[in-house]
Amino acid sequence: MMKTTQSTLLKMYENSEKFTVLTCYDALFATILEDAGVDVLLVGDSMGNVLHGESTTLSVTLADMTYHTRCVARGSNKAFIMTDMPFGTFQVSPELAFKNACKLIAAGAHMVKIEGGHIMAETIKFLTQRGIPVCAHIGLTPQSIHQLGGYKLQGADTITAKQLSQDAKILEKAGANMLLMEMVPAKLAKKITQSVSIPTIGIGAGVDCSAQVLVLHDMLGLYQGKKARFVKDFMADANNIQEAITNYVLAVKAGQFPNQEHEF
Ligand code: KIV
């Protein structure tokens, strides 16, 4: 079985083939997801919400991320594994970020994800120059929830849209290998995707990103309360989990998900 590497994903990007990402936190789902064709397993700090029952991601620790990365790596033979650096483990200094990222890579991650705009450029440069691939995460960055004042659309006005566009270019220049955009207007995400030469991954960012991601539990219809606009419940039309995930993969690859009802 051919492993999915950064080169595989870059080739897909160069061929304008969309790749698929879902969050994954354990070995069993790692096997199910990659058997259904998911290209990238994101060990997301959304585990704080969906596994730990917290209202934010802020209490997730490096030990949590290391443990779940190891579980996912054990269940995976093929997929590319990306792991979130949790709150407080990368902001202090590039050196500390490197030390902590090494633990995630040693646990089985192939890339780490870091939340934040231009302020993270120095850290991203430090990590990528030392052999650790990085996905930069901009737009709604849930670790900054108290500063942002809620889970809301980012880049909706001219000034913040310009800032996001600038951040994307700065992070690419710093060496970011991928750029994840969360809850930004579809038109802006398209413009940013066209302005950079690295793959973009969207969640609530419209169909024109190079790839799409959702939280696994959300796309399986396992959420409490109101469904977020950008989420589609793929279980609604499926007979089992495998079919729901396969349908997600097919819909993303065909450019059928997300559609206008899921974007801002
Ligand atoms: O932790 C996570 O699940 C994420 C996604 C929301 C992209 O970062």
Side-chain angles (χ1 to χ4, degrees), residues 149-162:
Y151 296 100
K152 50 191 180 198
L153 187 66
Q154 304 295 310
D157 59 72
T158 323
I159 294 172
T160 55
K162 193 168 167 207

Side-chain angles (χ1 to χ4, degrees), residues 122-212:
E122 194 191 341
T123 296
I124 289 174
K125 187 170 180 191
F126 194 90
L127 265 59
T128 52
Q129 285 186 338
R130 286 160 181 77
I132 299 187
V134 177
C135 175
H137 179 157
I138 61 171
L140 174 67
T141 46
Q143 293 174 14
S144 305
I145 189 67
H146 297 313
Q147 191 152 29
L148 297 175
Y151 296 100
K152 50 191 180 198
L153 187 66
Q154 304 295 310
D157 59 72
T158 323
I159 294 172
T160 55
K162 193 168 167 207
Q163 183 63 61
L164 280 179
S165 299
Q166 285 172 353
D167 281 355
K169 298 291 280 178
I170 291 168
L171 296 170
E172 177 188 22
K173 192 156 175 253
N177 304 82
M178 294 183 194
L179 184 70
L180 187 145
M181 291 184 274
E182 180 167 355
M183 279 186 85
V184 302
K187 266 194 191 153
L188 175 63
K190 180 177 182 180
K191 198 175 132 223
I192 291 176
T193 298
Q194 287 169 343
S195 77
V196 295
S197 305
I198 53 175
T200 59
I201 305 172
I203 176 164
V207 73
D208 292 304
C209 296
S210 327
Q212 295 292 329

Side-chain angles (χ1 to χ4, degrees), residues 74-123:
R74 274 194 214 111
S76 162
N77 284 312
K78 180 174 188 284
F80 189 78
I81 301 175
M82 182 191 297
T83 295
D84 264 325
M85 295 204 68
F87 182 58
T89 64
F90 61 91
Q91 294 91 342
V92 172
S93 67
E95 287 80 3
L96 185 60
F98 182 77
K99 192 166 167 251
N100 289 333
C102 284
K103 295 191 178 140
L104 300 175
I105 299 292
H110 304 128
M111 176 178 279
V112 297
K113 178 160 79 58
I114 287 183
E115 290 187 13
H118 60 278
I119 200 76
M120 283 302 135
E122 194 191 341
T123 296

Side-chain angles (χ1 to χ4, degrees), residues 23 25 42-47 57 84 113 115 137 142 180 182 203 213 215:
T23 66
Y25 318 100
L42 169 62
V43 187
D45 62 356
S46 51
M47 73 174 68
T57 58
D84 264 325
K113 178 160 79 58
E115 290 187 13
H137 179 157
L180 187 145
E182 180 167 355
I203 176 164
V213 62
V215 170

Side-chain angles (χ1 to χ4, degrees), residues 21-36:
V21 189
L22 278 178
T23 66
C24 185
Y25 318 100
D26 62 44
L28 179 61
F29 266 109
T31 308
I32 294 173
L33 264 52
E34 69 174 25
D35 283 354

